[in-house]
Amino acid sequence: MPSEDLQAIIQPEGVHMGVMTVDAKKCTRPLGSSCQLCYDDCPVKAWELVEGEAPHLPADSLCLSCYHCMLACPRNAVSIAETYHVDSGYFRTLPHRLEALPPRKPLDGEGNPVEWTAVEKTVLNRRSVRNFRDKPVPEALLRRILEAGRFAPSGDNFQPWKFIVLTDKAVMKEINEGAWSFLKAYRTRFRDPAEARQLAEGVLSGVLAPSTFDPRVVGAMALDRDYRPILLNAPVVIFMLEDPRATNAGGLHTGICGQNMTLVANAVGLGACWVGLSLLALTIPGMKEKLGIEHPWKLVSALAIGYPKFKQEGMVPREYRPVTWIRDGAGGPVED
Ligand SMILES: Cc1cc2nc3c(=O)[nH]c(=O)nc-3n(C[C@H](O)[C@H](O)[C@H](O)COP(=O)(O)O)c2cc1C
Ligand code: SF4
Ligand code: SF4
């Protein structure tokens, strides 16, 4: 395999992590407050906190431009300086580069401004909730969430899903600690040039996911300064499994179930976050059996659910990728 191809994956060039700034005049920390909501709601803990100062992002920040810090800040002090993007190579942002825009204002069929519908508000306000209160979720509410999953559409109405609801704290601890050990070992592999090369070969040959070396993934894995439980200390985790024998199998059904369940969790006053890292549970000897995962069920992902510790929902900007329109009579595609 040409070494320049591998190198472009292992050490991509032109990577610009997100840059966020804080208006120190609006932030309450310089006035002596201990607020750190922007830090608490940051999935990669990108902010540096110094007592008596407004938070700042270090030069080697891991910011992935999710904009949670903007909505977490009660003083509206955080703004975007630069959106995550990659100039060239394997991980190049396509099309280069995208602008972060707030949700487009709604119009009716005649083009007049209108209010968002309840469904639109629910979709646009949903955010991943990663900070939960230490409070159990009543089973009556969990049943409503699970029903939202059960009523998802599916190819040929196969309904190829199965849910496992975990509230056992001892099992959660075992998963968190096992996953952490796995991630630590993986980080060591990344740092070894020969191992990194082997992993990159796995990406090019299709054995490993392309995202293995995505700068955001590698950055998050480099975070070994503090232990962070992958299950986010949530009181409930719903594991979502799919039957690979179904038509359109491959995770799509879990995606639909998960989104249905997330929105209903929000509707009943709860918060949720997808946990793709939940797959690491399978690296722990005996965990598959402990979770009751049997043939043919394939674990696809999980949702961490609980009562939000502080406000974490709301609208944020998002990169806008132009849509291709092939309008009747236009004679061809237009990007807009
Ligand atoms: C399939 C999938 C897997 C994810 N896995 C994780 C995860 O393991 N840990 C985590 O903290 N967030 C995870 N997330 C949440 C994303 O980081 C989040 O959706 C993204 O940053 C956008 O933020 P928002 O959901 O608040 O809009 C996952 C999201 C999806 C859809
Ligand atoms: S945009 Fe997201 S990743 Fe970046 S600092 Fe804010 S919360 Fe953290
Ligand atoms: S959330 Fe806002 S007020 Fe609080 S520390 Fe961050 S920037 Fe300052």
Side-chain angles (χ1 to χ4, degrees):
M1 205 147 307
S3 67
E4 56 275 19
D5 288 358
L6 293 175
Q7 208 49 33
I9 294 178
I10 298 169
Q11 270 180 334
E13 288 179 358
V15 176
H16 304 269
M17 297 309 287
V19 182
M20 306 296 290
T21 53
V22 170
D23 182 343
K25 289 194 214 77
K26 289 186 183 168
C27 174
T28 52
R29 285 179 68 89
L31 302 172
S33 95
S34 56
C35 177
Q36 56 171 61
L37 289 169
C38 49
Y39 175 90
D40 289 341
D41 207 16
C42 175
V44 289
K45 305 294 174 230
W47 294 98
E48 255 178 33
L49 296 174
V50 177
E51 210 180 311
E53 289 179 19
H56 71 275
L57 290 186
D60 58 349
S61 132
L62 299 172
C63 173
L64 43 85
S65 294
C66 73
Y67 309 130
H68 270 244
C69 46
M70 293 174 82
L71 70 89
C73 177
R75 305 275 301 174
N76 202 17
V78 187
S79 47
I80 306 168
E82 186 164 310
T83 296
Y84 168 87
H85 64 282
V86 182
D87 292 332
S88 56
Y90 189 82
F91 294 105
R92 182 169 193 261
T93 309
L94 293 171
H96 193 263
R97 60 193 260 197
L98 301 169
E99 201 185 343
L101 301 174
R104 196 183 283 261
K105 295 275 182 238
L107 303 174
D108 67 12
E110 280 76 48
N112 304 309
V114 286
E115 295 294 314
W116 271 300
T117 61
V119 173
E120 286 171 300
K121 276 191 213 158
T122 308
V123 170
L124 297 172
N125 281 318
R126 179 216 57 83
R127 296 274 75 77
S128 295
V129 171
R130 298 186 177 86
N131 299 271
F132 300 101
R133 284 164 66 191
D134 185 15
K135 178 181 168 183
V137 177
E139 275 201 23
L141 297 186
L142 289 176
R143 289 277 179 202
R144 284 168 73 179
I145 293 169
L146 292 161
E147 285 295 85
R150 185 164 73 95
F151 280 87
S154 58
D156 293 315
N157 201 26
F158 261 65
Q159 302 157 71
W161 44 71
K162 179 175 165 62
F163 310 124
I164 297 171
V165 182
L166 176 67
T167 57
D168 185 325
K169 287 202 165 62
V171 177
M172 289 182 186
K173 187 167 184 276
E174 205 181 325
I175 293 175
N176 286 330
E177 289 175 356
W180 193 249
S181 305
F182 180 90
L183 285 172
K184 261 167 67 176
Y186 215 59
R187 278 193 287 269
T188 312
R189 290 189 69 188
F190 267 90
R191 287 185 190 133
D192 179 277
E195 289 266 21
R197 191 185 158 89
Q198 205 182 10
L199 290 169
E201 277 172 355
V203 169
L204 281 183
S205 64
V207 177
L208 282 174
S211 63
T212 308
F213 280 92
D214 185 286
R216 288 162 291 193
V217 175
V218 174
M221 290 217 302
L223 268 178
D224 49 9
R225 55 178 181 243
D226 53 359
Y227 165 73
R228 287 190 292 135
I230 61 156
L231 300 180
L232 306 166
N233 287 328
V236 186
V237 177
I238 301 181
F239 290 90
M240 298 176 288
L241 298 93
E242 209 174 288
D243 186 339
R245 299 169 302 173
T247 47
N248 302 296
L252 187 56
H253 293 107
T254 306
I256 302 169
C257 291
Q259 180 73 347
N260 272 11
M261 292 198 278
T262 301
L263 297 181
V264 170
N266 289 175
V268 298
L270 296 159
C273 185
W274 284 80
V275 186
L277 287 173
S278 58
L279 291 178
L280 296 183
L282 301 179
T283 64
I284 302 166
M287 186 50 73
K288 197 170 173 185
E289 294 71 28
K290 211 172 258 186
L291 291 174
I293 301 177
E294 290 175 350
H295 178 81
W297 296 105
K298 186 173 182 290
L299 178 60
V300 180
S301 198
L303 292 177
I305 296 179
Y307 289 97
K309 204 170 184 176
F310 53 87
K311 178 185 164 289
Q312 289 157 76
E313 85 284 354
M315 294 186 200
V316 292
R318 267 282 157 83
E319 282 102 83
Y320 182 76
R321 176 163 288 114
V323 175
T324 304
W325 297 78
I326 306 167
R327 295 187 174 100
D328 189 28
V334 176
E335 301 257 303
D336 173 5

